[in-house]
Amino acid sequence: AQSVTQLDSQVPVFEEAPVELRCNYSSSVSVYLFWYVQYPNQGLQLLLKYLSGSTLVKGINGFEAEFNKSQTSFHLRKPSVHISDTAEYFCAVGGTSYGKLTFGQGTILTVHP
Amino acid sequence: EAGVTQFPSHSVIEKGQTVTLRCDPISGHDNLYWYRRVMGKEIKFLLHFVKESKQDESGMPNNRFLAERTGGTYSTLKVQPAELEDSGVYFCASTPSVGDRRSSGRAHEQFFGPGTRLTVL
């Protein structure tokens, strides 16, 4: 069985400040890890993914995440956020190539001017 | 390339009624998934189709939910009869098949639709 915990339900931050959204997972098998973002009234959009290889993954819109196997974490970071980054962010884990995703509870990032 | 589309975007029904949600995946995508997010909770997997076959339906909550994908194209999710706890946002996602050249570089990415918000009163 797999599970994902997003440690913060809401993260308020000022524009141009750095941000980290935390994600921990548990799994008995090798995993694929994802961060999705949902802007208001839109579907989920993939930000980045870790499948294998380098533990530092770069995604769209300046986001990056680091896979830490020993700490079973996959935290999302951005060095300088914009107002337009205000959205809900989801961490997810997949255990097989085309199988289901298990999601965390979501983190609402609010960027203030 | 058109994305995953879902219809309706919103549905408000009364307890005991029937509702059918529709998902049109990206053209040519063999894998189709249904997920649900109940308010305040995480997004949870419901089931996975490969073409017209149910690959994994371990997340279907009970027999009031019926999913179909006739012909391996669009899918419907019927809730009959609807209960209050069925309220939430229902997401559909799709991915191409293994070996599909269009999946190159987008491996393991599930493409999500905007969701259908279902409210049961």
Side-chain angles (χ1 to χ4, degrees):
Chain A
Q2 299 172 324
S3 67
V4 178
T5 301
Q6 291 183 240
L7 297 158
D8 306 291
S9 59
Q10 298 193 52
V11 174
V13 65
F14 286 107
E15 192 173 19
E16 297 184 7
V19 71
E20 178 180 80
L21 306 184
R22 297 180 293 168
C23 172
N24 285 94
Y25 70 93
S26 68
S27 176
S28 57
V29 298
S30 297
V31 297
Y32 306 113
L33 293 159
F34 306 84
W35 275 99
Y36 281 84
V37 60
Q38 185 181 24
Y39 299 103
N41 300 315
Q42 295 185 29
L44 279 69
Q45 178 183 359
L46 183 69
L47 272 179
L48 47 79
K49 61 189 176 189
Y50 171 79
L51 304 180
S52 64
S54 173
T55 57
L56 183 63
V57 180
K58 294 188 183 298
I60 62 172
N61 301 339
F63 284 93
E64 63 180 34
E66 184 151 21
F67 170 58
N68 188 319
K69 188 175 182 179
S70 63
Q71 297 186 3
T72 60
S73 68
F74 190 55
H75 300 333
L76 181 71
R77 302 184 181 99
K78 186 170 183 178
S80 176
V81 294
H82 303 288
I83 298 288
S84 59
D85 292 322
T86 294
E88 189 162 18
Y89 293 77
F90 297 92
C91 182
V93 61
T96 60
S97 296
Y98 288 86
K100 63 185 178 184
L101 296 178
T102 299
F103 285 86
Q105 298 90 332
T107 298
I108 298 173
L109 173 66
T110 305
V111 181
H112 299 283
Chain B
E1 179 180 73
V4 176
T5 58
Q6 293 187 245
F7 182 83
S9 56
H10 294 85
S11 180
V12 181
I13 61 173
E14 294 192 352
K15 176 182 172 181
Q17 289 186 321
T18 297
V19 63
T20 300
L21 313 181
R22 173 170 170 146
C23 168
D24 286 79
I26 292 173
S27 178
H29 280 195
D30 288 342
N31 295 280
L32 187 150
Y33 310 81
W34 283 99
Y35 294 86
R36 176 175 74 171
R37 189 182 193 194
V38 172
M39 187 175 292
K41 302 283 190 178
E42 67 273 24
I43 299 169
K44 284 196 171 180
F45 167 80
L46 296 178
L47 87 160
H48 170 203
F49 283 100
V50 177
K51 296 185 180 179
E52 66 275 11
S53 300
K54 293 175 183 174
Q55 181 76 15
D56 179 358
E57 51 184 331
S58 60
M60 294 289 266
N62 51 61
N63 60 10
R64 296 185 294 103
F65 288 75
L66 175 63
E68 295 181 322
R69 194 182 181 196
T70 306
T73 54
Y74 72 90
S75 175
T76 57
L77 180 64
K78 180 189 289 188
V79 185
Q80 179 181 30
E83 297 290 345
L84 299 179
E85 63 265 26
D86 300 333
S87 296
V89 180
Y90 290 76
F91 292 102
C92 177
S94 70
T95 66
S97 295
V98 175
D100 187 324
R101 58 184 174 84
R102 289 169 295 183
S103 70
S104 176
R106 310 296 292 271
H108 310 284
E109 178 177 354
Q110 294 188 14
F111 297 83
F112 281 79
T116 293
R117 182 174 297 278
L118 174 64
T119 302
V120 183
L121 302 175

